[in-house]
Amino acid sequence: MVLELQKPRPIWQIMFSTHHTDVGLLYLITSLGFLFLGGSLALAIRAELFLPGAQIITDSMTFNRIFTVHGTTLIFLFILPFASAVGNYYVPIMVRYKDMAYPKLNAIAFWMIPPSGALIWLGFADFTWYATPPYSIISAPGPAADMWIFGLKILGISSVLGAINFVVTILKCKHPDMSIGQVPLLAWSYLSSSLIILVAIPTFAAALLMLLTDRLGVSGFFNPAMGGDPIAYAHLFWFTFHPEVYVLVIPAIGMMYEIIPRFSRKPIYSYNSGIFAFVLLSIVGFSSWAHHMFATGMSFTEKTVFMVGTLAAVPASAMHVFNFIATMWNGRIKFSTPMMWSVGGIALFFGAGAGGVVNSAMPLDFSTHDTYWVVGHFHLFVMGTIAFGSIAFFYYMFPYVTGRMYNETMGKIHFVMSFIGTILVFFTQHVLGLYGMPRRIFDYPPIPEWIAMNQIATVGAMIIGVSMAIFLANMIYSSGKGKLANTEDPFGVGGKYYYPFEAKNPSH
């Protein structure tokens, strides 16, 4: 059993360790720190939009900086590092190997995150996490924009190094007696998402390099004044970041594949269809990037191809949902906190997917494009599915990491408040989009419907904020004073918990 905090060690031993659980712990603490930082910026945005006019933010430039760093932080500095934390802890154990394939490379990949986070936060750029030209070339002030670009470049290298490590660990270091068809679905989710990263990230790395040289004035790839084409940047951006959405969600689905069978006390309904759906999502992720660009003047044929390619993700996603429901069916379900978060995540995944169908259908997309509908859809997907799955797994791995149990009542209060808050914020934003409110605006006219729905969304955000404060207090208190966990079966659902394949290698 790995009890990282039950037997305290000097912090420097963990910081300079290359063992997979130590690196996982560093990823975990870092990602949660950025979760609270990014979340606090979200609360500031919602407080500002509670009423028309300036409320707590003095000008639109500051507002733009806040929501740029908010988005960048939660996507690149919370979700991705959190997935790396879980993968570091569990993938080597699941493939029955003593560590990641390249332990030192693994530690290097983590230590790229703090400096990149510092660049993003110290720069506080203002051009959204899209960095869309021509604004990001000709108007975005330096050095903030340049610091953001360098921060993203470093994060990209970190992601590629991590992906190489996961692929080699799973394919080459798994136990000889374990076939690839016996690897747990959580490890399959990391294999799938890592392969997407290896294909997609180099494209955005090239786009960022071209953007930087454009800013320096030595090229004009995306600068219309020099004969460049901003739409080319949009193609490169979405070729990376539509598949990247699956990089974010696939590990969260893999985490649910660990939790739902265990708390349903049944094996997963269809292991093979879970693998097939992961592979299918990895492929169709690359066939749908241009559905973000229907309004850029593509031909009808091109739009039709990308609409169909986008809709191909629906059956793959439905396979996962069907597997979860079929696994729970007639199971002896124990609704502990991890299970509640997982079931809530599945419900919200269904809602986010339904909204996504609207975005992929050409006629409907033209009505909702660049409105708050898109904000609601994307955030429901990220918060309602990915964050819910991640937080579910955090509660699930808490006894493994600390050797103690969290307070179950506070965990359930955290879930109920977050679920209600998420519905209030993001379903309301869908409706707000249908009323025509554009996204990324600092102020809005005093239209009664807009005011009412912005206030509902802000109240929902504050409920989520309070729930996250409860979460933080629970984790801090329980890490030191919580009841000692039953290391055999901490949740009382039967079966064995996880054990490292071998004791820690002292040479690490």
mmCIF file of all heavy atoms in Angstrom, residues 112-149:
data_model
loop_
_atom_site.group_PDB
_atom_site.id
_atom_site.type_symbol
_atom_site.label_atom_id
_atom_site.label_comp_id
_atom_site.label_asym_id
_atom_site.label_seq_id
_atom_site.Cartn_x
_atom_site.Cartn_y
_atom_site.Cartn_z
ATOM 1 N N MET A 112 8.396 20.906 -15.759
ATOM 2 C CA MET A 112 8.148 21.943 -16.763
ATOM 3 C C MET A 112 6.869 22.726 -16.462
ATOM 4 O O MET A 112 6.672 23.837 -16.973
ATOM 5 C CB MET A 112 8.009 21.307 -18.151
ATOM 6 C CG MET A 112 9.329 20.800 -18.719
ATOM 7 S SD MET A 112 9.100 20.135 -20.354
ATOM 8 C CE MET A 112 10.808 19.860 -20.829
ATOM 9 N N ILE A 113 6.001 22.162 -15.633
ATOM 10 C CA ILE A 113 4.703 22.797 -15.402
ATOM 11 C C ILE A 113 4.809 24.050 -14.531
ATOM 12 O O ILE A 113 4.231 25.093 -14.887
ATOM 13 C CB ILE A 113 3.708 21.771 -14.815
ATOM 14 C CG1 ILE A 113 3.418 20.708 -15.881
ATOM 15 C CG2 ILE A 113 2.430 22.436 -14.352
ATOM 16 C CD1 ILE A 113 2.539 19.598 -15.398
ATOM 17 N N PRO A 114 5.524 24.031 -13.393
ATOM 18 C CA PRO A 114 5.579 25.267 -12.585
ATOM 19 C C PRO A 114 6.110 26.485 -13.339
ATOM 20 O O PRO A 114 5.492 27.555 -13.260
ATOM 21 C CB PRO A 114 6.487 24.860 -11.410
ATOM 22 C CG PRO A 114 6.307 23.382 -11.292
ATOM 23 C CD PRO A 114 6.153 22.888 -12.700
ATOM 24 N N PRO A 115 7.218 26.379 -14.106
ATOM 25 C CA PRO A 115 7.650 27.597 -14.820
ATOM 26 C C PRO A 115 6.669 28.043 -15.890
ATOM 27 O O PRO A 115 6.494 29.258 -16.102
ATOM 28 C CB PRO A 115 9.002 27.187 -15.434
ATOM 29 C CG PRO A 115 9.039 25.712 -15.400
ATOM 30 C CD PRO A 115 8.197 25.297 -14.245
ATOM 31 N N SER A 116 6.025 27.088 -16.558
ATOM 32 C CA SER A 116 5.046 27.499 -17.564
ATOM 33 C C SER A 116 3.842 28.159 -16.909
ATOM 34 O O SER A 116 3.310 29.155 -17.419
ATOM 35 C CB SER A 116 4.605 26.300 -18.409
ATOM 36 O OG SER A 116 4.066 25.294 -17.582
ATOM 37 N N GLY A 117 3.417 27.636 -15.752
ATOM 38 C CA GLY A 117 2.329 28.282 -15.012
ATOM 39 C C GLY A 117 2.712 29.688 -14.580
ATOM 40 O O GLY A 117 1.895 30.616 -14.641
ATOM 41 N N ALA A 118 3.970 29.852 -14.147
ATOM 42 C CA ALA A 118 4.429 31.176 -13.728
ATOM 43 C C ALA A 118 4.427 32.148 -14.902
ATOM 44 O O ALA A 118 4.031 33.314 -14.754
ATOM 45 C CB ALA A 118 5.832 31.057 -13.137
ATOM 46 N N LEU A 119 4.851 31.692 -16.087
ATOM 47 C CA LEU A 119 4.836 32.567 -17.262
ATOM 48 C C LEU A 119 3.420 33.024 -17.589
ATOM 49 O O LEU A 119 3.174 34.206 -17.892
ATOM 50 C CB LEU A 119 5.441 31.827 -18.460
ATOM 51 C CG LEU A 119 6.969 31.703 -18.494
ATOM 52 C CD1 LEU A 119 7.400 30.735 -19.590
ATOM 53 C CD2 LEU A 119 7.600 33.071 -18.728
ATOM 54 N N ILE A 120 2.481 32.076 -17.535
ATOM 55 C CA ILE A 120 1.093 32.413 -17.876
ATOM 56 C C ILE A 120 0.499 33.387 -16.858
ATOM 57 O O ILE A 120 -0.157 34.375 -17.217
ATOM 58 C CB ILE A 120 0.263 31.117 -17.960
ATOM 59 C CG1 ILE A 120 0.701 30.303 -19.180
ATOM 60 C CG2 ILE A 120 -1.231 31.423 -18.010
ATOM 61 C CD1 ILE A 120 0.222 28.871 -19.177
ATOM 62 N N TRP A 121 0.764 33.157 -15.583
ATOM 63 C CA TRP A 121 0.166 34.012 -14.548
ATOM 64 C C TRP A 121 0.864 35.358 -14.452
ATOM 65 O O TRP A 121 0.220 36.389 -14.230
ATOM 66 C CB TRP A 121 0.175 33.277 -13.200
ATOM 67 C CG TRP A 121 -1.075 32.470 -13.041
ATOM 68 C CD1 TRP A 121 -1.340 31.259 -13.626
ATOM 69 C CD2 TRP A 121 -2.246 32.825 -12.320
ATOM 70 N NE1 TRP A 121 -2.601 30.830 -13.303
ATOM 71 C CE2 TRP A 121 -3.182 31.772 -12.490
ATOM 72 C CE3 TRP A 121 -2.611 33.903 -11.536
ATOM 73 C CZ2 TRP A 121 -4.449 31.793 -11.911
ATOM 74 C CZ3 TRP A 121 -3.877 33.918 -10.943
ATOM 75 C CH2 TRP A 121 -4.780 32.881 -11.138
ATOM 76 N N LEU A 122 2.183 35.385 -14.586
ATOM 77 C CA LEU A 122 2.889 36.661 -14.491
ATOM 78 C C LEU A 122 2.617 37.537 -15.714
ATOM 79 O O LEU A 122 2.557 38.765 -15.625
ATOM 80 C CB LEU A 122 4.398 36.414 -14.330
ATOM 81 C CG LEU A 122 4.814 35.776 -12.997
ATOM 82 C CD1 LEU A 122 6.298 35.451 -12.995
ATOM 83 C CD2 LEU A 122 4.471 36.708 -11.828
ATOM 84 N N GLY A 123 2.461 36.880 -16.887
ATOM 85 C CA GLY A 123 2.165 37.646 -18.092
ATOM 86 C C GLY A 123 0.760 38.206 -18.103
ATOM 87 O O GLY A 123 0.519 39.348 -18.439
ATOM 88 N N PHE A 124 -0.217 37.370 -17.695
ATOM 89 C CA PHE A 124 -1.628 37.755 -17.681
ATOM 90 C C PHE A 124 -2.036 38.339 -19.046
ATOM 91 O O PHE A 124 -2.493 39.493 -19.157
ATOM 92 C CB PHE A 124 -1.892 38.757 -16.549
ATOM 93 C CG PHE A 124 -2.963 38.268 -15.613
ATOM 94 C CD1 PHE A 124 -2.755 37.137 -14.832
ATOM 95 C CD2 PHE A 124 -4.192 38.913 -15.521
ATOM 96 C CE1 PHE A 124 -3.740 36.670 -13.971
ATOM 97 C CE2 PHE A 124 -5.184 38.447 -14.673
ATOM 98 C CZ PHE A 124 -4.942 37.330 -13.894
ATOM 99 N N ALA A 125 -1.892 37.533 -20.083
ATOM 100 C CA ALA A 125 -2.223 37.962 -21.446
ATOM 101 C C ALA A 125 -3.722 38.217 -21.590
ATOM 102 O O ALA A 125 -4.523 37.825 -20.737
ATOM 103 C CB ALA A 125 -1.753 36.907 -22.442
ATOM 104 N N ASP A 126 -4.108 38.820 -22.707
ATOM 105 C CA ASP A 126 -5.495 39.292 -22.831
ATOM 106 C C ASP A 126 -6.193 38.782 -24.085
ATOM 107 O O ASP A 126 -7.247 39.275 -24.446
ATOM 108 C CB ASP A 126 -5.514 40.829 -22.859
ATOM 109 C CG ASP A 126 -4.906 41.384 -24.135
ATOM 110 O OD1 ASP A 126 -4.034 40.706 -24.705
ATOM 111 O OD2 ASP A 126 -5.329 42.471 -24.566
ATOM 112 N N PHE A 127 -5.624 37.773 -24.772
ATOM 113 C CA PHE A 127 -6.182 37.414 -26.082
ATOM 114 C C PHE A 127 -6.944 36.082 -26.085
ATOM 115 O O PHE A 127 -7.092 35.478 -27.129
ATOM 116 C CB PHE A 127 -5.103 37.420 -27.165
ATOM 117 C CG PHE A 127 -3.828 36.671 -26.832
ATOM 118 C CD1 PHE A 127 -3.824 35.631 -25.938
ATOM 119 C CD2 PHE A 127 -2.636 37.008 -27.448
ATOM 120 C CE1 PHE A 127 -2.671 34.938 -25.648
ATOM 121 C CE2 PHE A 127 -1.471 36.325 -27.169
ATOM 122 C CZ PHE A 127 -1.497 35.286 -26.252
ATOM 123 N N THR A 128 -7.461 35.679 -24.946
ATOM 124 C CA THR A 128 -8.194 34.429 -24.740
ATOM 125 C C THR A 128 -7.274 33.232 -24.973
ATOM 126 O O THR A 128 -6.191 33.374 -25.541
ATOM 127 C CB THR A 128 -9.446 34.273 -25.619
ATOM 128 O OG1 THR A 128 -9.059 33.790 -26.927
ATOM 129 C CG2 THR A 128 -10.202 35.554 -25.783
ATOM 130 N N TRP A 129 -7.729 32.058 -24.572
ATOM 131 C CA TRP A 129 -6.861 30.886 -24.706
ATOM 132 C C TRP A 129 -6.774 30.423 -26.167
ATOM 133 O O TRP A 129 -6.030 29.509 -26.478
ATOM 134 C CB TRP A 129 -7.309 29.750 -23.787
ATOM 135 C CG TRP A 129 -8.557 29.027 -24.202
ATOM 136 C CD1 TRP A 129 -9.833 29.418 -23.971
ATOM 137 C CD2 TRP A 129 -8.639 27.771 -24.889
ATOM 138 N NE1 TRP A 129 -10.712 28.506 -24.482
ATOM 139 C CE2 TRP A 129 -10.014 27.482 -25.041
ATOM 140 C CE3 TRP A 129 -7.706 26.870 -25.373
ATOM 141 C CZ2 TRP A 129 -10.465 26.319 -25.674
ATOM 142 C CZ3 TRP A 129 -8.158 25.708 -26.001
ATOM 143 C CH2 TRP A 129 -9.524 25.452 -26.140
ATOM 144 N N TYR A 130 -7.496 31.100 -27.076
ATOM 145 C CA TYR A 130 -7.377 30.813 -28.505
ATOM 146 C C TYR A 130 -6.164 31.538 -29.109
ATOM 147 O O TYR A 130 -5.603 31.087 -30.092
ATOM 148 C CB TYR A 130 -8.607 31.298 -29.269
ATOM 149 C CG TYR A 130 -9.894 30.583 -28.990
ATOM 150 C CD1 TYR A 130 -10.429 30.514 -27.710
ATOM 151 C CD2 TYR A 130 -10.607 30.010 -30.021
ATOM 152 C CE1 TYR A 130 -11.611 29.875 -27.458
ATOM 153 C CE2 TYR A 130 -11.816 29.367 -29.781
ATOM 154 C CZ TYR A 130 -12.313 29.310 -28.506
ATOM 155 O OH TYR A 130 -13.496 28.677 -28.284
ATOM 156 N N ALA A 131 -5.831 32.721 -28.542
ATOM 157 C CA ALA A 131 -4.758 33.566 -29.095
ATOM 158 C C ALA A 131 -4.976 33.826 -30.583
ATOM 159 O O ALA A 131 -4.058 33.755 -31.394
ATOM 160 C CB ALA A 131 -3.387 32.927 -28.872
ATOM 161 N N THR A 132 -6.211 34.137 -30.927
ATOM 162 C CA THR A 132 -6.568 34.228 -32.338
ATOM 163 C C THR A 132 -5.962 35.469 -33.005
ATOM 164 O O THR A 132 -6.129 36.574 -32.502
ATOM 165 C CB THR A 132 -8.095 34.292 -32.486
ATOM 166 O OG1 THR A 132 -8.654 33.183 -31.796
ATOM 167 C CG2 THR A 132 -8.501 34.233 -33.958
ATOM 168 N N PRO A 133 -5.262 35.298 -34.128
ATOM 169 C CA PRO A 133 -4.812 36.454 -34.911
ATOM 170 C C PRO A 133 -5.985 37.040 -35.699
ATOM 171 O O PRO A 133 -6.992 36.364 -35.896
ATOM 172 C CB PRO A 133 -3.763 35.839 -35.845
ATOM 173 C CG PRO A 133 -4.123 34.399 -35.954
ATOM 174 C CD PRO A 133 -4.821 34.028 -34.677
ATOM 175 N N PRO A 134 -5.927 38.277 -36.119
ATOM 176 C CA PRO A 134 -4.744 39.152 -36.090
ATOM 177 C C PRO A 134 -4.514 39.875 -34.761
ATOM 178 O O PRO A 134 -3.467 40.463 -34.578
ATOM 179 C CB PRO A 134 -5.034 40.153 -37.202
ATOM 180 C CG PRO A 134 -6.515 40.221 -37.265
ATOM 181 C CD PRO A 134 -7.020 38.849 -36.950
ATOM 182 N N TYR A 135 -5.530 39.830 -33.817
ATOM 183 C CA TYR A 135 -5.328 40.580 -32.579
ATOM 184 C C TYR A 135 -4.069 40.117 -31.846
ATOM 185 O O TYR A 135 -3.291 40.933 -31.324
ATOM 186 C CB TYR A 135 -6.544 40.425 -31.658
ATOM 187 C CG TYR A 135 -6.364 41.176 -30.357
ATOM 188 C CD1 TYR A 135 -6.525 42.548 -30.301
ATOM 189 C CD2 TYR A 135 -5.979 40.504 -29.193
ATOM 190 C CE1 TYR A 135 -6.325 43.251 -29.127
ATOM 191 C CE2 TYR A 135 -5.778 41.197 -28.010
ATOM 192 C CZ TYR A 135 -5.953 42.567 -27.986
ATOM 193 O OH TYR A 135 -5.740 43.249 -26.815
ATOM 194 N N SER A 136 -3.844 38.801 -31.789
ATOM 195 C CA SER A 136 -2.697 38.278 -31.036
ATOM 196 C C SER A 136 -1.367 38.650 -31.681
ATOM 197 O O SER A 136 -0.313 38.467 -31.073
ATOM 198 C CB SER A 136 -2.801 36.760 -30.915
ATOM 199 O OG SER A 136 -2.865 36.163 -32.198
ATOM 200 N N ILE A 137 -1.413 39.184 -32.900
ATOM 201 C CA ILE A 137 -0.174 39.596 -33.569
ATOM 202 C C ILE A 137 0.030 41.099 -33.468
ATOM 203 O O ILE A 137 1.098 41.575 -33.097
ATOM 204 C CB ILE A 137 -0.204 39.204 -35.064
ATOM 205 C CG1 ILE A 137 -0.276 37.694 -35.216
ATOM 206 C CG2 ILE A 137 1.028 39.749 -35.781
ATOM 207 C CD1 ILE A 137 -0.517 37.259 -36.647
ATOM 208 N N ILE A 138 -1.011 41.853 -33.759
ATOM 209 C CA ILE A 138 -0.807 43.286 -33.952
ATOM 210 C C ILE A 138 -1.246 44.135 -32.764
ATOM 211 O O ILE A 138 -0.865 45.290 -32.681
ATOM 212 C CB ILE A 138 -1.536 43.766 -35.225
ATOM 213 C CG1 ILE A 138 -3.039 43.462 -35.131
ATOM 214 C CG2 ILE A 138 -0.942 43.105 -36.452
ATOM 215 C CD1 ILE A 138 -3.824 43.937 -36.346
ATOM 216 N N SER A 139 -2.037 43.567 -31.832
ATOM 217 C CA SER A 139 -2.536 44.421 -30.755
ATOM 218 C C SER A 139 -2.253 43.886 -29.364
ATOM 219 O O SER A 139 -2.170 44.663 -28.424
ATOM 220 C CB SER A 139 -4.055 44.616 -30.899
ATOM 221 O OG SER A 139 -4.352 45.320 -32.074
ATOM 222 N N ALA A 140 -2.155 42.576 -29.221
ATOM 223 C CA ALA A 140 -1.948 42.017 -27.881
ATOM 224 C C ALA A 140 -0.618 42.520 -27.325
ATOM 225 O O ALA A 140 0.422 42.328 -27.939
ATOM 226 C CB ALA A 140 -1.950 40.498 -27.948
ATOM 227 N N PRO A 141 -0.635 43.186 -26.163
ATOM 228 C CA PRO A 141 0.599 43.805 -25.660
ATOM 229 C C PRO A 141 1.630 42.772 -25.204
ATOM 230 O O PRO A 141 1.300 41.750 -24.634
ATOM 231 C CB PRO A 141 0.110 44.650 -24.481
ATOM 232 C CG PRO A 141 -1.171 43.999 -24.056
ATOM 233 C CD PRO A 141 -1.783 43.426 -25.281
ATOM 234 N N GLY A 142 2.878 43.075 -25.516
ATOM 235 C CA GLY A 142 3.971 42.261 -25.013
ATOM 236 C C GLY A 142 4.519 42.897 -23.745
ATOM 237 O O GLY A 142 4.294 44.081 -23.508
ATOM 238 N N PRO A 143 5.218 42.157 -22.875
ATOM 239 C CA PRO A 143 5.603 40.761 -23.104
ATOM 240 C C PRO A 143 4.565 39.749 -22.656
ATOM 241 O O PRO A 143 4.840 38.548 -22.669
ATOM 242 C CB PRO A 143 6.875 40.646 -22.278
ATOM 243 C CG PRO A 143 6.601 41.538 -21.102
ATOM 244 C CD PRO A 143 5.801 42.699 -21.647
ATOM 245 N N ALA A 144 3.351 40.227 -22.221
ATOM 246 C CA ALA A 144 2.363 39.281 -21.699
ATOM 247 C C ALA A 144 2.047 38.187 -22.720
ATOM 248 O O ALA A 144 2.043 36.990 -22.393
ATOM 249 C CB ALA A 144 1.088 40.044 -21.323
ATOM 250 N N ALA A 145 1.787 38.602 -23.982
ATOM 251 C CA ALA A 145 1.427 37.617 -24.999
ATOM 252 C C ALA A 145 2.586 36.660 -25.275
ATOM 253 O O ALA A 145 2.385 35.451 -25.447
ATOM 254 C CB ALA A 145 1.013 38.337 -26.284
ATOM 255 N N ASP A 146 3.811 37.192 -25.304
ATOM 256 C CA ASP A 146 4.974 36.337 -25.557
ATOM 257 C C ASP A 146 5.195 35.365 -24.401
ATOM 258 O O ASP A 146 5.577 34.207 -24.606
ATOM 259 C CB ASP A 146 6.210 37.209 -25.775
ATOM 260 C CG ASP A 146 5.980 38.236 -26.875
ATOM 261 O OD1 ASP A 146 5.602 37.837 -27.981
ATOM 262 O OD2 ASP A 146 6.144 39.441 -26.600
ATOM 263 N N MET A 147 4.954 35.822 -23.181
ATOM 264 C CA MET A 147 5.095 34.919 -22.028
ATOM 265 C C MET A 147 4.063 33.801 -22.094
ATOM 266 O O MET A 147 4.343 32.646 -21.778
ATOM 267 C CB MET A 147 4.936 35.725 -20.730
ATOM 268 C CG MET A 147 6.097 36.692 -20.485
ATOM 269 S SD MET A 147 5.791 37.840 -19.132
ATOM 270 C CE MET A 147 5.950 36.768 -17.715
ATOM 271 N N TRP A 148 2.851 34.134 -22.529
ATOM 272 C CA TRP A 148 1.803 33.109 -22.681
ATOM 273 C C TRP A 148 2.241 32.081 -23.723
ATOM 274 O O TRP A 148 2.093 30.872 -23.511
ATOM 275 C CB TRP A 148 0.497 33.777 -23.099
ATOM 276 C CG TRP A 148 -0.685 32.861 -23.192
ATOM 277 C CD1 TRP A 148 -1.590 32.582 -22.202
ATOM 278 C CD2 TRP A 148 -1.101 32.100 -24.342
ATOM 279 N NE1 TRP A 148 -2.539 31.708 -22.662
ATOM 280 C CE2 TRP A 148 -2.273 31.389 -23.971
ATOM 281 C CE3 TRP A 148 -0.617 31.950 -25.626
ATOM 282 C CZ2 TRP A 148 -2.943 30.549 -24.852
ATOM 283 C CZ3 TRP A 148 -1.279 31.107 -26.508
ATOM 284 C CH2 TRP A 148 -2.438 30.411 -26.125
ATOM 285 N N ILE A 149 2.767 32.573 -24.852
ATOM 286 C CA ILE A 149 3.187 31.650 -25.919
ATOM 287 C C ILE A 149 4.297 30.725 -25.416
ATOM 288 O O ILE A 149 4.248 29.502 -25.623
ATOM 289 C CB ILE A 149 3.657 32.449 -27.150
ATOM 290 C CG1 ILE A 149 2.465 33.156 -27.807
ATOM 291 C CG2 ILE A 149 4.352 31.525 -28.161
ATOM 292 C CD1 ILE A 149 2.849 34.131 -28.909
#
